[in-house]
mmCIF file of all heavy atoms in Angstrom:
data_model
loop_
_atom_site.group_PDB
_atom_site.id
_atom_site.type_symbol
_atom_site.label_atom_id
_atom_site.label_comp_id
_atom_site.label_asym_id
_atom_site.label_seq_id
_atom_site.Cartn_x
_atom_site.Cartn_y
_atom_site.Cartn_z
ATOM 1 N N PRO A 1 -16.430 -20.242 33.540
ATOM 2 C CA PRO A 1 -16.813 -21.602 33.931
ATOM 3 C C PRO A 1 -17.298 -21.652 35.380
ATOM 4 O O PRO A 1 -16.843 -20.813 36.214
ATOM 5 C CB PRO A 1 -15.480 -22.379 33.773
ATOM 6 C CG PRO A 1 -14.644 -21.559 32.866
ATOM 7 C CD PRO A 1 -15.029 -20.113 33.098
ATOM 8 N N LYS A 2 -18.180 -22.530 35.703
ATOM 9 C CA LYS A 2 -18.744 -22.604 37.040
ATOM 10 C C LYS A 2 -17.652 -22.658 38.101
ATOM 11 O O LYS A 2 -17.781 -22.042 39.189
ATOM 12 C CB LYS A 2 -19.637 -23.853 37.165
ATOM 13 C CG LYS A 2 -20.363 -24.004 38.465
ATOM 14 C CD LYS A 2 -21.308 -25.212 38.423
ATOM 15 C CE LYS A 2 -22.019 -25.384 39.744
ATOM 16 N NZ LYS A 2 -22.931 -26.586 39.742
ATOM 17 N N SER A 3 -16.582 -23.370 37.841
ATOM 18 C CA SER A 3 -15.505 -23.563 38.839
ATOM 19 C C SER A 3 -14.722 -22.294 39.098
ATOM 20 O O SER A 3 -13.989 -22.216 40.040
ATOM 21 C CB SER A 3 -14.562 -24.667 38.373
ATOM 22 O OG SER A 3 -13.947 -24.306 37.100
ATOM 23 N N GLU A 4 -14.885 -21.284 38.197
ATOM 24 C CA GLU A 4 -14.079 -20.074 38.301
ATOM 25 C C GLU A 4 -14.904 -18.821 38.686
ATOM 26 O O GLU A 4 -14.349 -17.729 38.803
ATOM 27 C CB GLU A 4 -13.369 -19.785 36.964
ATOM 28 C CG GLU A 4 -12.459 -20.892 36.502
ATOM 29 C CD GLU A 4 -11.263 -21.122 37.385
ATOM 30 O OE1 GLU A 4 -10.995 -20.289 38.235
ATOM 31 O OE2 GLU A 4 -10.609 -22.179 37.215
ATOM 32 N N LYS A 5 -16.196 -19.009 38.876
ATOM 33 C CA LYS A 5 -17.088 -17.858 39.117
ATOM 34 C C LYS A 5 -16.748 -17.119 40.421
ATOM 35 O O LYS A 5 -17.014 -15.915 40.541
ATOM 36 C CB LYS A 5 -18.527 -18.283 39.112
ATOM 37 C CG LYS A 5 -19.052 -18.489 37.689
ATOM 38 C CD LYS A 5 -20.551 -18.721 37.661
ATOM 39 C CE LYS A 5 -21.077 -18.896 36.262
ATOM 40 N NZ LYS A 5 -21.081 -17.610 35.505
ATOM 41 N N MET A 6 -16.157 -17.792 41.379
ATOM 42 C CA MET A 6 -15.796 -17.136 42.651
ATOM 43 C C MET A 6 -14.317 -16.860 42.775
ATOM 44 O O MET A 6 -13.772 -16.610 43.844
ATOM 45 C CB MET A 6 -16.298 -18.019 43.828
ATOM 46 C CG MET A 6 -17.788 -18.130 43.957
ATOM 47 S SD MET A 6 -18.637 -16.544 44.001
ATOM 48 C CE MET A 6 -18.093 -15.968 45.635
ATOM 49 N N SER A 7 -13.654 -16.783 41.598
ATOM 50 C CA SER A 7 -12.223 -16.434 41.543
ATOM 51 C C SER A 7 -12.065 -14.983 41.964
ATOM 52 O O SER A 7 -12.998 -14.181 41.952
ATOM 53 C CB SER A 7 -11.646 -16.644 40.190
ATOM 54 O OG SER A 7 -11.703 -18.019 39.815
ATOM 55 N N GLU A 8 -10.819 -14.598 42.253
ATOM 56 C CA GLU A 8 -10.510 -13.235 42.594
ATOM 57 C C GLU A 8 -10.662 -12.331 41.299
ATOM 58 O O GLU A 8 -10.120 -12.672 40.250
ATOM 59 C CB GLU A 8 -9.084 -13.094 43.095
ATOM 60 C CG GLU A 8 -8.660 -11.693 43.531
ATOM 61 C CD GLU A 8 -9.383 -11.201 44.753
ATOM 62 O OE1 GLU A 8 -9.945 -12.019 45.497
ATOM 63 O OE2 GLU A 8 -9.380 -9.995 44.969
ATOM 64 N N PRO A 9 -11.374 -11.214 41.391
ATOM 65 C CA PRO A 9 -11.499 -10.325 40.224
ATOM 66 C C PRO A 9 -10.103 -9.816 39.784
ATOM 67 O O PRO A 9 -9.233 -9.665 40.619
ATOM 68 C CB PRO A 9 -12.399 -9.210 40.786
ATOM 69 C CG PRO A 9 -13.094 -9.761 41.929
ATOM 70 C CD PRO A 9 -12.148 -10.719 42.545
ATOM 71 N N LYS A 10 -10.011 -9.496 38.488
ATOM 72 C CA LYS A 10 -8.756 -8.891 37.993
ATOM 73 C C LYS A 10 -9.072 -8.067 36.757
ATOM 74 O O LYS A 10 -10.158 -8.107 36.203
ATOM 75 C CB LYS A 10 -7.748 -9.986 37.687
ATOM 76 C CG LYS A 10 -8.121 -10.904 36.538
ATOM 77 C CD LYS A 10 -7.003 -11.921 36.276
ATOM 78 C CE LYS A 10 -7.307 -12.795 35.087
ATOM 79 N NZ LYS A 10 -6.170 -13.708 34.740
ATOM 80 N N TYR A 11 -8.061 -7.324 36.316
ATOM 81 C CA TYR A 11 -8.201 -6.417 35.218
ATOM 82 C C TYR A 11 -6.964 -6.432 34.333
ATOM 83 O O TYR A 11 -5.832 -6.464 34.855
ATOM 84 C CB TYR A 11 -8.451 -4.994 35.752
ATOM 85 C CG TYR A 11 -8.526 -3.922 34.693
ATOM 86 C CD1 TYR A 11 -9.672 -3.700 33.968
ATOM 87 C CD2 TYR A 11 -7.355 -3.164 34.382
ATOM 88 C CE1 TYR A 11 -9.729 -2.683 32.992
ATOM 89 C CE2 TYR A 11 -7.418 -2.193 33.391
ATOM 90 C CZ TYR A 11 -8.605 -1.953 32.702
ATOM 91 O OH TYR A 11 -8.589 -0.991 31.726
ATOM 92 N N GLN A 12 -7.148 -6.416 33.009
ATOM 93 C CA GLN A 12 -6.007 -6.393 32.090
ATOM 94 C C GLN A 12 -6.196 -5.258 31.110
ATOM 95 O O GLN A 12 -7.236 -5.155 30.479
ATOM 96 C CB GLN A 12 -5.918 -7.713 31.292
ATOM 97 C CG GLN A 12 -5.791 -8.982 32.127
ATOM 98 C CD GLN A 12 -5.962 -10.215 31.333
ATOM 99 O OE1 GLN A 12 -5.070 -10.576 30.549
ATOM 100 N NE2 GLN A 12 -7.104 -10.886 31.445
ATOM 101 N N THR A 13 -5.185 -4.394 31.022
ATOM 102 C CA THR A 13 -5.136 -3.416 29.944
ATOM 103 C C THR A 13 -4.257 -4.002 28.851
ATOM 104 O O THR A 13 -3.059 -4.200 29.048
ATOM 105 C CB THR A 13 -4.583 -2.096 30.428
ATOM 106 O OG1 THR A 13 -5.409 -1.504 31.425
ATOM 107 C CG2 THR A 13 -4.489 -1.099 29.265
ATOM 108 N N LEU A 14 -4.800 -4.276 27.681
ATOM 109 C CA LEU A 14 -4.105 -4.923 26.613
ATOM 110 C C LEU A 14 -3.879 -3.859 25.499
ATOM 111 O O LEU A 14 -4.871 -3.463 24.815
ATOM 112 C CB LEU A 14 -4.889 -6.110 26.062
ATOM 113 C CG LEU A 14 -5.323 -7.134 27.103
ATOM 114 C CD1 LEU A 14 -6.217 -8.185 26.480
ATOM 115 C CD2 LEU A 14 -4.110 -7.796 27.763
ATOM 116 N N LEU A 15 -2.658 -3.377 25.338
ATOM 117 C CA LEU A 15 -2.350 -2.334 24.400
ATOM 118 C C LEU A 15 -2.083 -2.861 22.995
ATOM 119 O O LEU A 15 -1.586 -3.994 22.807
ATOM 120 C CB LEU A 15 -1.131 -1.515 24.881
ATOM 121 C CG LEU A 15 -1.339 -0.860 26.292
ATOM 122 C CD1 LEU A 15 -0.036 -0.104 26.650
ATOM 123 C CD2 LEU A 15 -2.531 0.052 26.280
ATOM 124 N N LYS A 16 -2.397 -2.038 22.018
ATOM 125 C CA LYS A 16 -2.311 -2.412 20.609
ATOM 126 C C LYS A 16 -0.910 -2.961 20.280
ATOM 127 O O LYS A 16 -0.791 -3.985 19.552
ATOM 128 C CB LYS A 16 -2.566 -1.189 19.751
ATOM 129 C CG LYS A 16 -2.500 -1.392 18.272
ATOM 130 C CD LYS A 16 -2.806 -0.113 17.494
ATOM 131 C CE LYS A 16 -2.709 -0.321 15.984
ATOM 132 N NZ LYS A 16 -3.011 0.936 15.273
ATOM 133 N N GLU A 17 0.136 -2.316 20.808
ATOM 134 C CA GLU A 17 1.482 -2.746 20.457
ATOM 135 C C GLU A 17 1.865 -4.095 21.039
ATOM 136 O O GLU A 17 2.902 -4.694 20.598
ATOM 137 C CB GLU A 17 2.519 -1.678 20.874
ATOM 138 C CG GLU A 17 2.499 -1.324 22.339
ATOM 139 C CD GLU A 17 1.654 -0.110 22.678
ATOM 140 O OE1 GLU A 17 0.653 0.148 21.932
ATOM 141 O OE2 GLU A 17 1.956 0.575 23.634
ATOM 142 N N ASN A 18 1.108 -4.601 21.993
ATOM 143 C CA ASN A 18 1.392 -5.867 22.580
ATOM 144 C C ASN A 18 0.578 -7.034 22.034
ATOM 145 O O ASN A 18 0.720 -8.164 22.448
ATOM 146 C CB ASN A 18 1.213 -5.801 24.088
ATOM 147 C CG ASN A 18 2.156 -4.819 24.754
ATOM 148 O OD1 ASN A 18 3.297 -4.657 24.325
ATOM 149 N ND2 ASN A 18 1.714 -4.148 25.802
ATOM 150 N N MET A 19 -0.321 -6.719 21.071
ATOM 151 C CA MET A 19 -1.141 -7.769 20.488
ATOM 152 C C MET A 19 -0.284 -8.678 19.578
ATOM 153 O O MET A 19 0.704 -8.201 18.986
ATOM 154 C CB MET A 19 -2.298 -7.148 19.639
ATOM 155 C CG MET A 19 -3.214 -6.272 20.446
ATOM 156 S SD MET A 19 -4.143 -7.156 21.705
ATOM 157 C CE MET A 19 -5.073 -5.812 22.390
ATOM 158 N N GLY A 20 -0.702 -9.915 19.464
ATOM 159 C CA GLY A 20 -0.078 -10.730 18.457
ATOM 160 C C GLY A 20 -0.410 -10.227 17.083
ATOM 161 O O GLY A 20 -1.530 -9.686 16.882
ATOM 162 N N ALA A 21 0.485 -10.305 16.127
ATOM 163 C CA ALA A 21 0.258 -9.760 14.796
ATOM 164 C C ALA A 21 0.655 -10.767 13.735
ATOM 165 O O ALA A 21 1.696 -11.404 13.795
ATOM 166 C CB ALA A 21 1.069 -8.482 14.602
ATOM 167 N N PHE A 22 -0.270 -10.907 12.745
ATOM 168 C CA PHE A 22 0.018 -11.821 11.638
ATOM 169 C C PHE A 22 -0.367 -11.152 10.299
ATOM 170 O O PHE A 22 -1.523 -10.689 10.191
ATOM 171 C CB PHE A 22 -0.771 -13.132 11.788
ATOM 172 C CG PHE A 22 -0.553 -14.134 10.697
ATOM 173 C CD1 PHE A 22 0.513 -15.035 10.817
ATOM 174 C CD2 PHE A 22 -1.334 -14.205 9.573
ATOM 175 C CE1 PHE A 22 0.801 -15.948 9.823
ATOM 176 C CE2 PHE A 22 -1.103 -15.137 8.571
ATOM 177 C CZ PHE A 22 -0.046 -16.029 8.699
ATOM 178 N N LYS A 23 0.593 -11.034 9.381
ATOM 179 C CA LYS A 23 0.264 -10.444 8.076
ATOM 180 C C LYS A 23 -0.136 -11.522 7.115
ATOM 181 O O LYS A 23 0.565 -12.572 6.969
ATOM 182 C CB LYS A 23 1.509 -9.714 7.552
ATOM 183 C CG LYS A 23 1.820 -8.458 8.318
ATOM 184 C CD LYS A 23 3.014 -7.664 7.694
ATOM 185 C CE LYS A 23 3.296 -6.369 8.423
ATOM 186 N NZ LYS A 23 4.412 -5.638 7.757
ATOM 187 N N LEU A 24 -1.274 -11.317 6.501
ATOM 188 C CA LEU A 24 -1.782 -12.272 5.548
ATOM 189 C C LEU A 24 -0.977 -12.269 4.248
ATOM 190 O O LEU A 24 -0.387 -11.267 3.849
ATOM 191 C CB LEU A 24 -3.274 -12.023 5.211
ATOM 192 C CG LEU A 24 -4.195 -12.065 6.451
ATOM 193 C CD1 LEU A 24 -5.600 -11.648 5.995
ATOM 194 C CD2 LEU A 24 -4.246 -13.480 7.006
ATOM 195 N N ASP A 25 -0.950 -13.423 3.576
ATOM 196 C CA ASP A 25 -0.154 -13.546 2.326
ATOM 197 C C ASP A 25 -0.675 -12.584 1.278
ATOM 198 O O ASP A 25 -1.853 -12.180 1.273
ATOM 199 C CB ASP A 25 -0.267 -14.973 1.764
ATOM 200 C CG ASP A 25 0.443 -15.981 2.621
ATOM 201 O OD1 ASP A 25 1.341 -15.566 3.452
ATOM 202 O OD2 ASP A 25 0.094 -17.172 2.552
ATOM 203 N N ASN A 26 0.272 -12.170 0.413
ATOM 204 C CA ASN A 26 -0.068 -11.324 -0.753
ATOM 205 C C ASN A 26 -0.665 -9.971 -0.338
ATOM 206 O O ASN A 26 -1.522 -9.411 -1.059
ATOM 207 C CB ASN A 26 -1.012 -12.035 -1.728
ATOM 208 C CG ASN A 26 -0.390 -13.346 -2.217
ATOM 209 O OD1 ASN A 26 0.786 -13.400 -2.556
ATOM 210 N ND2 ASN A 26 -1.219 -14.415 -2.237
ATOM 211 N N ASN A 27 -0.288 -9.458 0.820
ATOM 212 C CA ASN A 27 -0.711 -8.169 1.304
ATOM 213 C C ASN A 27 -2.277 -8.078 1.340
ATOM 214 O O ASN A 27 -2.838 -7.031 1.022
ATOM 215 C CB ASN A 27 -0.148 -7.106 0.379
ATOM 216 C CG ASN A 27 -0.221 -5.715 1.010
ATOM 217 O OD1 ASN A 27 -0.107 -5.551 2.245
ATOM 218 N ND2 ASN A 27 -0.411 -4.674 0.203
ATOM 219 N N GLN A 28 -2.928 -9.157 1.770
ATOM 220 C CA GLN A 28 -4.363 -9.166 1.792
ATOM 221 C C GLN A 28 -4.943 -8.495 3.078
ATOM 222 O O GLN A 28 -6.113 -8.193 3.101
ATOM 223 C CB GLN A 28 -4.900 -10.614 1.753
ATOM 224 C CG GLN A 28 -4.615 -11.301 0.422
ATOM 225 C CD GLN A 28 -5.251 -12.660 0.365
ATOM 226 O OE1 GLN A 28 -6.371 -12.835 -0.081
ATOM 227 N NE2 GLN A 28 -4.546 -13.664 0.889
ATOM 228 N N GLY A 29 -4.108 -8.282 4.077
ATOM 229 C CA GLY A 29 -4.562 -7.657 5.297
ATOM 230 C C GLY A 29 -3.762 -8.180 6.464
ATOM 231 O O GLY A 29 -2.702 -8.800 6.312
ATOM 232 N N LYS A 30 -4.284 -7.969 7.660
ATOM 233 C CA LYS A 30 -3.554 -8.420 8.868
ATOM 234 C C LYS A 30 -4.527 -8.835 9.961
ATOM 235 O O LYS A 30 -5.719 -8.445 9.965
ATOM 236 C CB LYS A 30 -2.650 -7.315 9.344
ATOM 237 C CG LYS A 30 -3.353 -6.055 9.726
ATOM 238 C CD LYS A 30 -2.359 -4.963 10.195
ATOM 239 C CE LYS A 30 -3.084 -3.656 10.541
ATOM 240 N NZ LYS A 30 -2.131 -2.598 10.950
ATOM 241 N N VAL A 31 -4.071 -9.679 10.849
ATOM 242 C CA VAL A 31 -4.837 -10.173 11.977
ATOM 243 C C VAL A 31 -4.138 -9.748 13.244
ATOM 244 O O VAL A 31 -2.946 -10.011 13.430
ATOM 245 C CB VAL A 31 -4.950 -11.722 11.945
ATOM 246 C CG1 VAL A 31 -5.752 -12.219 13.122
ATOM 247 C CG2 VAL A 31 -5.584 -12.190 10.612
ATOM 248 N N SER A 32 -4.894 -9.119 14.131
ATOM 249 C CA SER A 32 -4.404 -8.734 15.464
ATOM 250 C C SER A 32 -5.025 -9.701 16.436
ATOM 251 O O SER A 32 -6.239 -9.872 16.546
ATOM 252 C CB SER A 32 -4.794 -7.321 15.829
ATOM 253 O OG SER A 32 -4.436 -6.982 17.114
ATOM 254 N N ILE A 33 -4.154 -10.470 17.163
ATOM 255 C CA ILE A 33 -4.637 -11.530 18.042
ATOM 256 C C ILE A 33 -4.730 -11.001 19.446
ATOM 257 O O ILE A 33 -3.738 -10.636 20.055
ATOM 258 C CB ILE A 33 -3.723 -12.768 17.990
ATOM 259 C CG1 ILE A 33 -3.599 -13.318 16.545
ATOM 260 C CG2 ILE A 33 -4.230 -13.878 18.927
ATOM 261 C CD1 ILE A 33 -2.347 -12.895 15.816
ATOM 262 N N ILE A 34 -5.970 -10.937 19.978
ATOM 263 C CA ILE A 34 -6.205 -10.470 21.320
ATOM 264 C C ILE A 34 -6.107 -11.595 22.333
ATOM 265 O O ILE A 34 -5.433 -11.500 23.355
ATOM 266 C CB ILE A 34 -7.606 -9.799 21.432
ATOM 267 C CG1 ILE A 34 -7.696 -8.583 20.478
ATOM 268 C CG2 ILE A 34 -7.912 -9.383 22.867
ATOM 269 C CD1 ILE A 34 -9.064 -8.041 20.277
ATOM 270 N N ALA A 35 -6.787 -12.696 22.044
ATOM 271 C CA ALA A 35 -6.833 -13.874 22.895
ATOM 272 C C ALA A 35 -6.722 -15.146 22.031
ATOM 273 O O ALA A 35 -7.192 -15.132 20.884
ATOM 274 C CB ALA A 35 -8.095 -13.914 23.741
ATOM 275 N N GLY A 36 -6.177 -16.185 22.596
ATOM 276 C CA GLY A 36 -6.050 -17.404 21.854
ATOM 277 C C GLY A 36 -4.860 -17.388 20.928
ATOM 278 O O GLY A 36 -3.823 -16.767 21.228
ATOM 279 N N GLU A 37 -5.034 -17.969 19.748
ATOM 280 C CA GLU A 37 -3.890 -18.166 18.841
ATOM 281 C C GLU A 37 -4.353 -18.134 17.385
ATOM 282 O O GLU A 37 -5.473 -18.511 17.086
ATOM 283 C CB GLU A 37 -3.279 -19.530 19.136
ATOM 284 C CG GLU A 37 -2.018 -19.881 18.359
ATOM 285 C CD GLU A 37 -1.410 -21.226 18.782
ATOM 286 O OE1 GLU A 37 -1.500 -21.530 20.002
ATOM 287 O OE2 GLU A 37 -0.848 -21.910 17.953
ATOM 288 N N PHE A 38 -3.524 -17.619 16.522
ATOM 289 C CA PHE A 38 -3.769 -17.617 15.078
ATOM 290 C C PHE A 38 -2.483 -17.964 14.356
ATOM 291 O O PHE A 38 -1.473 -17.248 14.500
ATOM 292 C CB PHE A 38 -4.292 -16.247 14.613
ATOM 293 C CG PHE A 38 -4.631 -16.205 13.153
ATOM 294 C CD1 PHE A 38 -5.944 -16.497 12.709
ATOM 295 C CD2 PHE A 38 -3.718 -15.828 12.203
ATOM 296 C CE1 PHE A 38 -6.291 -16.443 11.380
ATOM 297 C CE2 PHE A 38 -4.035 -15.813 10.844
ATOM 298 C CZ PHE A 38 -5.333 -16.085 10.460
ATOM 299 N N ASN A 39 -2.497 -19.079 13.641
ATOM 300 C CA ASN A 39 -1.309 -19.532 12.874
ATOM 301 C C ASN A 39 -0.037 -19.548 13.738
ATOM 302 O O ASN A 39 1.029 -19.076 13.323
ATOM 303 C CB ASN A 39 -1.073 -18.645 11.636
ATOM 304 C CG ASN A 39 -1.977 -19.057 10.484
ATOM 305 O OD1 ASN A 39 -2.955 -19.747 10.686
ATOM 306 N ND2 ASN A 39 -1.637 -18.622 9.326
ATOM 307 N N GLY A 40 -0.204 -19.998 14.979
ATOM 308 C CA GLY A 40 0.941 -20.174 15.869
ATOM 309 C C GLY A 40 1.298 -18.907 16.656
ATOM 310 O O GLY A 40 2.202 -18.976 17.475
ATOM 311 N N ILE A 41 0.604 -17.808 16.400
ATOM 312 C CA ILE A 41 0.897 -16.567 17.114
ATOM 313 C C ILE A 41 -0.151 -16.355 18.165
ATOM 314 O O ILE A 41 -1.348 -16.409 17.908
ATOM 315 C CB ILE A 41 0.927 -15.371 16.172
ATOM 316 C CG1 ILE A 41 2.079 -15.573 15.145
ATOM 317 C CG2 ILE A 41 1.151 -14.042 16.947
ATOM 318 C CD1 ILE A 41 2.154 -14.484 14.137
ATOM 319 N N LYS A 42 0.250 -16.129 19.435
ATOM 320 C CA LYS A 42 -0.646 -16.025 20.534
ATOM 321 C C LYS A 42 -0.947 -14.549 20.897
ATOM 322 O O LYS A 42 -0.143 -13.659 20.698
ATOM 323 C CB LYS A 42 -0.078 -16.752 21.774
ATOM 324 C CG LYS A 42 0.041 -18.255 21.560
ATOM 325 C CD LYS A 42 0.521 -18.930 22.816
ATOM 326 C CE LYS A 42 0.587 -20.447 22.644
ATOM 327 N NZ LYS A 42 1.069 -21.145 23.846
ATOM 328 N N GLY A 43 -2.135 -14.341 21.437
ATOM 329 C CA GLY A 43 -2.506 -13.033 21.951
ATOM 330 C C GLY A 43 -2.153 -12.872 23.405
ATOM 331 O O GLY A 43 -1.931 -13.882 24.104
ATOM 332 N N PRO A 44 -2.142 -11.672 23.929
ATOM 333 C CA PRO A 44 -1.671 -11.418 25.306
ATOM 334 C C PRO A 44 -2.683 -11.648 26.385
ATOM 335 O O PRO A 44 -2.348 -11.723 27.590
ATOM 336 C CB PRO A 44 -1.284 -9.930 25.257
ATOM 337 C CG PRO A 44 -2.224 -9.346 24.260
ATOM 338 C CD PRO A 44 -2.406 -10.419 23.204
ATOM 339 N N ALA A 45 -3.966 -11.819 26.054
ATOM 340 C CA ALA A 45 -5.002 -11.921 27.073
ATOM 341 C C ALA A 45 -4.898 -13.235 27.859
ATOM 342 O O ALA A 45 -4.681 -14.302 27.278
ATOM 343 C CB ALA A 45 -6.387 -11.827 26.453
ATOM 344 N N SER A 46 -5.011 -13.116 29.189
ATOM 345 C CA SER A 46 -5.081 -14.299 30.067
ATOM 346 C C SER A 46 -6.575 -14.640 30.202
ATOM 347 O O SER A 46 -7.372 -13.804 30.629
ATOM 348 C CB SER A 46 -4.453 -13.990 31.418
ATOM 349 O OG SER A 46 -4.703 -15.035 32.315
ATOM 350 N N THR A 47 -6.972 -15.827 29.781
ATOM 351 C CA THR A 47 -8.394 -16.200 29.791
ATOM 352 C C THR A 47 -8.689 -17.472 30.573
ATOM 353 O O THR A 47 -7.776 -18.309 30.768
ATOM 354 C CB THR A 47 -8.885 -16.386 28.334
ATOM 355 O OG1 THR A 47 -8.341 -17.634 27.842
ATOM 356 C CG2 THR A 47 -8.478 -15.278 27.437
#
């Protein structure tokens, strides 16, 4: 966003084991949440 373009730079290492995890019904697959939210489970990224 325009208001954040001059913010202090930063870096995030987001490891697989720290991702949000959601298993789909009936063993259909899984969702790994990096940023934001999925079915109430949040990802670790600061955005």
